């Protein structure tokens, strides 16, 4: 895996030299035990959080209510599915590299297929974030074309297109990774090492550095426009429509969280081509080798950064809950938290359901307001005009 990927913690050269034999775990367990502790303690915490919260997030965002006329909910819901898939695959990989429990690394075909599969969500996730960031830019900066570009149907098509693109890019991993039956191990063969380095550098620059930078630039443009609109007191009219229940601040928070976790991981991962491990020998000799000392220090920092990046696949639920009022309400409904709903929230819901619609007609203010003498199931409203102030009773089966 790349970047957020927590591959094996070593370079391709290490895999070729050590064959991922038990000595690989011995090196970390004896010379840098903090690396194994980080993998074995921190990662399971994010697994529990992500595999619990992501399905809830998916259910809420892809529900009929949330996705109706809300294209951003499609992107966010699909993103939660992608995160769940990644965590499940990451558990299998972590069992192999952190605990020494072999699975796909000792089976033909599975070696190539698994390494392709685990790259797909890594490529797909930042592209989805870029997609709804661009959509938010259209909704805020170009509100007159949002009805054309910010639709649920278009969001579905874009999500499918990005998935196909991610699959095509990840399919090259089946060429890079090979199963070696004589050793019973899975690692890139010597003849593709140069290609693997070039391909890794290319994908790192495009998907894990260029894409987050694009997200950052677009977010800056959105924030500048929001400040301008806020100053002109026109924000409610400009931002309505494309986002629906998904607030701008929610999507901006997700975008910035991706940037803060992905860019450092990309930089740290890129350094592995500069910071090399030393010569393999007995543990005492390696412990005294300054090259190995520097490499193990680098690996410790890398593991910390990678765990921060792993939180990117687990903790979006908290961003949605903190920044999204609609999401909070749906979570409370789903989890039966009615007892924890404050009286203020109840009053807010009531006041929103009994609003007054006001229009103008030849300088006459026409007001449709609730009279208070409603029949259960059929609220009664009164039409009031400025000229004659007469009242006509109307009945409506649903609240407006």
């Amino acid at each position: 895996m790349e970047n957020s990927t927590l591959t094996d913690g070593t370079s391709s050269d290490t895999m070729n030299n050590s064959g991922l034999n038990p000595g690989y775990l011995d090196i970390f367990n004896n010379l840098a035990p903090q690396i194994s502790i980080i993998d074995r303690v921190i990662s399971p915490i994010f697994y529990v959080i992500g595999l619990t919260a992501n399905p809830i997030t998916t259910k809420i965002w892809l529900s009929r209510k949330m996705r109706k006329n809300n294209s951003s909910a499609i992107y966010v819901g699909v993103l939660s599915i992608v995160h769940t898939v990644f965590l499940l695959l990451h558990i299998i990989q972590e069992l192999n590299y952190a605990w020494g429990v072999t699975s796909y690394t000792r089976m033909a075909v599975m070696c190539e297929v698994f390494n392709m599969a685990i790259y797909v969500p890594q490529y797909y996730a930042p592209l989805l974030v870029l997609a709804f960031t661009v959509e938010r830019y259209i909704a805020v900066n170009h509100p007159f074309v949002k009805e054309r570009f910010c639709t649920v149907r278009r969001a579905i098509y874009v999500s499918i297109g990005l998935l196909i693109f991610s699959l095509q890019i990840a399919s090259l991993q089946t060429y890079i990774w090979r199963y070696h039956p004589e050793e019973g191990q899975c690692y890139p063969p010597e003849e593709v090492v140069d290609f693997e380095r070039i391909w890794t550098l290319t994908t790192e620059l495009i998907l894990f550095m260029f894409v987050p930078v694009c997200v950052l630039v677009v977010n800056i443009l959105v924030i500048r426009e929001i400040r301008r609109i806020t100053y002109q007191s026109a924000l409610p009219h400009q931002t309505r429509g494309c986002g629906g229940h998904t607030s701008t601040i929610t999507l901006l928070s997700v975008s910035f969280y991706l940037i803060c976790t992905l860019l450092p991981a990309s930089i740290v991962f890129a350094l592995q081509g500069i910071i090399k491990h030393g010569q393999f020998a007995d543990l005492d000799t390696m412990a005294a080798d300054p090259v190995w000392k520097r490499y193990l220090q680098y690996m410790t920092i890398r593991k910390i950064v990678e765990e921060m990046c792993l939180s990117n696949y687990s903790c979006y639920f908290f961003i949605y809950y903190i920044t999204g009022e609609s999401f909070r309400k749906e979570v409370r409904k789903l989890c039966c938290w009615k007892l924890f709903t404050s009286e203020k929230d109840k009053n807010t819901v009531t006041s929103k359901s009994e609003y007054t619609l006001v229009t103008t007609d030849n300088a006459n203010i026409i007001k449709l307001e609730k009279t208070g003498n409603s029949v259960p199931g059929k609220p009664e409203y009164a039409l009031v005009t400025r000229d004659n102030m007469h009242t006509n009773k109307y009945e409506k089966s649903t609240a407006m």
Side-chain angles (χ1 to χ4, degrees):
M1 297 166 67
E2 299 171 13
N3 193 340
S4 55
T5 57
L6 291 153
T7 54
D8 50 13
T10 59
S11 64
S12 299
D13 292 336
T14 305
M15 289 184 289
N16 292 332
N17 291 334
S18 67
L20 290 180
N21 54 37
Y24 161 76
L25 289 177
D26 288 339
I27 293 173
F28 282 5
N29 290 338
N30 290 278
L31 302 185
Q34 67 274 11
I35 296 177
S36 298
I37 293 174
I38 292 172
D39 271 343
R40 297 178 178 182
V41 176
I42 306 299
S43 294
I45 295 176
F46 288 126
Y47 295 152
V48 173
I49 295 174
L51 293 178
T52 302
N54 286 341
I56 297 175
T57 302
T58 302
K59 179 177 176 59
I60 292 176
W61 284 121
L62 295 184
S63 65
R64 184 182 299 273
K65 177 182 178 180
M66 296 293 283
R67 72 174 186 267
K68 183 179 181 181
N69 298 323
N70 183 10
S71 54
S72 296
I74 301 297
Y75 293 116
V76 178
V78 173
L79 184 64
S80 300
I81 297 175
V82 173
H83 288 170
T84 303
V85 172
F86 174 78
L87 291 176
L88 292 173
L89 293 172
H90 196 273
I91 291 175
I92 300 175
Q93 188 186 58
E94 198 77 345
L95 287 174
N96 181 69
Y97 291 120
W99 297 90
V101 179
T102 58
S103 53
Y104 66 93
T105 58
R106 293 188 179 276
M107 291 184 287
V109 180
M110 282 299 299
C111 166
E112 294 83 357
V113 172
F114 180 85
N115 281 285
M116 183 196 79
I118 201 168
Y119 273 89
V120 173
Q122 294 178 82
Y123 295 150
Y124 195 23
L127 292 175
L128 285 172
V129 174
L130 177 62
F132 68 65
T133 302
V134 172
E135 185 187 69
R136 180 56 43 177
Y137 168 80
I138 295 173
V140 175
N141 294 56
H142 304 281
F144 296 108
V145 298
K146 65 175 180 270
E147 297 298 333
R148 176 184 175 188
F149 293 101
C150 303
T151 64
V152 173
R153 183 182 296 274
R154 186 179 293 272
I156 294 174
Y157 288 158
V158 171
S159 299
I160 295 175
L162 293 178
L163 175 59
I164 295 174
F165 178 70
S166 301
L167 285 168
Q168 290 175 337
I169 299 177
S171 63
L172 278 175
Q173 299 300 325
T174 60
Y175 170 74
I176 294 175
W177 292 85
R178 304 281 179 82
Y179 174 72
H180 301 265
E182 65 279 1
E183 302 175 17
Q185 299 294 337
C186 177
Y187 58 87
E190 193 69 32
E191 61 267 21
V192 301
V193 169
D194 291 337
F195 172 78
E196 183 239 348
R197 289 173 178 171
I198 296 174
W199 180 250
T200 298
L201 178 62
T202 303
T203 54
E204 284 289 319
L205 290 176
I206 296 177
L207 292 169
F208 301 125
M209 294 191 73
F210 179 72
V211 170
V213 169
C214 288
V215 171
L216 177 61
V217 172
V218 175
N219 279 339
I220 292 174
L221 295 177
V222 171
I223 292 173
R224 288 181 59 185
E225 183 67 12
I226 289 176
R227 292 181 61 184
R228 185 187 70 83
I229 295 173
T230 304
Y231 179 76
Q232 297 176 354
S233 301
L235 180 60
H237 303 286
Q238 298 290 330
T239 59
R240 187 180 303 148
C242 187
H245 299 288
T246 310
S247 65
T248 298
I249 189 171
T250 298
L251 299 181
L252 287 175
S253 300
V254 170
S255 299
F256 278 115
Y257 192 76
L258 174 78
I259 295 168
C260 293
T261 55
L262 209 57
L263 280 179
S266 300
I267 295 172
V268 171
F269 185 85
L271 291 176
Q272 80 166 11
I274 301 174
I275 304 176
K276 300 288 187 179
H277 57 80
Q279 296 294 324
F280 287 90
D282 60 89
L283 293 177
D284 293 335
T285 303
M286 294 168 65
D289 187 351
V291 178
W292 270 106
K293 287 182 179 179
R294 187 180 69 158
Y295 180 76
L296 293 175
Q297 290 174 351
Y298 158 74
M299 284 305 304
T300 302
I301 296 174
R302 175 177 168 177
K303 284 297 177 183
I304 295 174
V305 174
E306 286 176 339
E307 291 299 327
M308 293 171 54
C309 194
L310 185 61
S311 69
N312 186 61
Y313 296 88
S314 305
C315 299
Y316 280 1
F317 173 87
F318 303 106
I319 296 178
Y320 303 143
Y321 190 85
I322 293 172
T323 61
E325 180 182 357
S326 299
F327 187 83
R328 280 198 303 272
K329 292 178 180 178
E330 293 301 317
V331 171
R332 290 169 180 173
K333 286 182 182 179
L334 186 63
C335 299
C336 300
W337 288 357
K338 295 181 180 180
L339 295 177
F340 299 94
T341 303
S342 64
E343 192 65 29
K344 180 181 178 180
D345 293 336
K346 294 178 181 178
N347 294 335
T348 301
V349 174
T350 303
S351 62
K352 286 183 179 179
S353 63
E354 297 181 0
Y355 65 85
T356 300
L357 177 65
V358 180
T359 60
T360 59
D361 182 15
N362 296 327
N364 294 331
I365 296 179
I366 304 174
K367 184 165 55 176
L368 187 63
E369 61 181 10
K370 193 171 181 180
T371 64
N373 300 321
S374 60
V375 178
K378 293 186 177 182
E380 195 173 52
Y381 297 87
L383 180 63
V384 182
T385 62
R386 176 174 292 177
D387 288 342
N388 50 27
M389 297 301 292
H390 72 278
T391 301
N392 296 323
K393 300 294 181 72
Y394 292 88
E395 291 188 357
K396 248 182 144 169
S397 58
T398 57
M400 300 186 63

